[in-house]
Amino acid sequence: MNDPIVTPRWLLARMYEPGLVIADCRFNLADPEEGRGAYLRDHIPGAVYLHLDEDLSAPVREHGGRHPVPDPGLLAASLGRAGISRSSLVVAYDDQGGLYASRLWWLLQYLGHERAYVMDQGYSAWKAAGFPVTDHRPVTIPASYEPAPRPELLAEIGEIRTISAEGAASGAILIDSRANDRYRGENETMDKKAGHIPGAVNYFWKDTQHADGSYKSAEELNEHFSGLDKDREVIVYCGSGVSACPNALALKRIGFKKVRLYGGSWSDWISYEENPVATGEA
């Protein structure tokens, strides 16, 4: 199955199949314990909980952004504790439009794990459909996860500087996945500097979805990203490397082959005082 997005009904039909791991990735940046509390109240039966800060990010340092990409070995250890192995079929969900579920999806791609999916619409849609929920925490049998990292999916600061300076001549395009007012530098509530990386274009990650939180169809996504050349390298970034992941998911859904993530994103870029900052439209 090439489509990285599955429906709640698809998951309902398979939720007790051997080898399936359901990962609850609910999270709130303003209250890091809210997602875990929501999971403890109720979740999809059998789901394990993965925390953005503790499981899906490395510790914050001077550089690397607010949610650094974790070391492959440490990430593999977290996945193994959750009962995930390289042979697992992983379906992630959250209740924030796929924001955190797609972070797990991307990290699994980075580790060479192709059997990873995001459940469309999220947990509220699952409950609204009358599908089963529970407060029972499953007994998790630890697994051995053997990562096969794909460093080509990750862009580093030196490459971003070159692409920003060279523009189209670099052969790559930078996509800023944040809301347009943050991209333009008019409203910044998360980071110390406002604006965007010079040369980047803006595709807000939420514009890949309908008002009800469901992902747009392939036809709609092709229209949304019609200004991009599928043969060019695309590097997505956001504030900290999280909300760029739904864009990476959507681009993969419509056949973009050369999509990379700038893991540290804007919060890493501005940690280097010498890096230029652009404001306004591209």
Side-chain angles (χ1 to χ4, degrees), residues 171-187:
I173 186 167
L174 284 173
I175 291 181
D176 188 312
S177 305
R178 298 171 299 164
N180 189 248
D181 59 346
R182 291 185 69 197
Y183 168 81
R184 294 194 305 265
E186 298 170 354
N187 177 31

Side-chain angles (χ1 to χ4, degrees), residues 84-104:
I84 299 172
S85 72
R86 280 293 298 280
S87 64
S88 299
L89 190 158
V90 182
V91 178
Y93 71 88
D94 57 35
D95 218 7
Q96 291 78 28
L99 181 59
Y100 304 108
S102 63
R103 167 75 168 200
L104 174 59

Side-chain angles (χ1 to χ4, degrees), residues 220-264:
E220 291 169 314
L221 290 173
N222 274 308
E223 176 63 25
H224 175 62
F225 291 114
S226 61
L228 303 179
D229 184 347
K230 289 186 178 182
D231 292 327
R232 288 182 66 183
E233 181 179 44
V234 176
I235 298 175
V236 293
Y237 79 89
C238 53
S240 67
V242 177
S243 64
C245 294
N247 265 344
L249 183 79
L251 288 164
K252 177 164 184 176
R253 189 179 203 190
I254 57 175
F256 279 76
K257 304 295 185 184
K258 303 174 183 177
V259 181
R260 305 170 72 192
L261 174 71
Y262 173 25

Side-chain angles (χ1 to χ4, degrees), residues 189-231:
T189 60
M190 301 295 295
D191 293 303
K192 295 179 180 179
K193 292 183 181 179
H196 61 268
I197 299 173
V201 296
N202 185 217
Y203 285 85
F204 184 30
W205 72 271
K206 283 191 176 181
D207 290 338
T208 62
Q209 302 174 358
H210 298 114
D212 66 356
S214 61
Y215 268 91
K216 292 180 178 178
S217 67
E219 182 180 9
E220 291 169 314
L221 290 173
N222 274 308
E223 176 63 25
H224 175 62
F225 291 114
S226 61
L228 303 179
D229 184 347
K230 289 186 178 182
D231 292 327

Side-chain angles (χ1 to χ4, degrees), residues 49-223:
Y49 183 72
L50 291 173
H51 191 281
L52 175 66
D53 291 338
E54 297 172 9
D55 300 305
L56 307 182
S57 303
V60 176
R61 296 190 171 95
E62 180 183 4
H63 302 299
R66 287 184 280 107
H67 293 104
V69 173
D71 172 83
L74 295 177
L75 176 59
S78 289
L79 296 173
R81 287 192 295 270
I84 299 172
S85 72
R86 280 293 298 280
S87 64
S88 299
L89 190 158
V90 182
V91 178
Y93 71 88
D94 57 35
D95 218 7
Q96 291 78 28
L99 181 59
Y100 304 108
S102 63
R103 167 75 168 200
L104 174 59
W105 169 84
W106 186 87
L107 288 171
L108 288 167
Q109 302 298 299
Y110 176 58
L111 293 187
H113 192 133
E114 291 293 334
R115 300 183 72 215
Y117 304 91
V118 170
M119 188 184 78
D120 203 6
Q121 294 186 278
Y123 187 64
S124 289
W126 175 276
K127 287 186 71 173
F131 296 162
V133 301
T134 184
D135 62 359
H136 175 70
R137 297 180 64 181
V139 175
T140 301
I141 300 174
S144 176
Y145 193 99
E146 297 295 332
R150 300 175 63 194
E152 71 274 11
L153 296 184
L154 191 62
E156 302 294 346
I157 182 66
E159 299 172 90
I160 302 301
R161 285 174 174 150
T162 299
I163 293 166
S164 175
E166 295 182 356
S170 70
I173 186 167
L174 284 173
I175 291 181
D176 188 312
S177 305
R178 298 171 299 164
N180 189 248
D181 59 346
R182 291 185 69 197
Y183 168 81
R184 294 194 305 265
E186 298 170 354
N187 177 31
E188 183 53 67
T189 60
M190 301 295 295
D191 293 303
K192 295 179 180 179
K193 292 183 181 179
H196 61 268
I197 299 173
V201 296
N202 185 217
Y203 285 85
F204 184 30
W205 72 271
K206 283 191 176 181
D207 290 338
T208 62
Q209 302 174 358
H210 298 114
D212 66 356
S214 61
Y215 268 91
K216 292 180 178 178
S217 67
E219 182 180 9
E220 291 169 314
L221 290 173
N222 274 308
E223 176 63 25

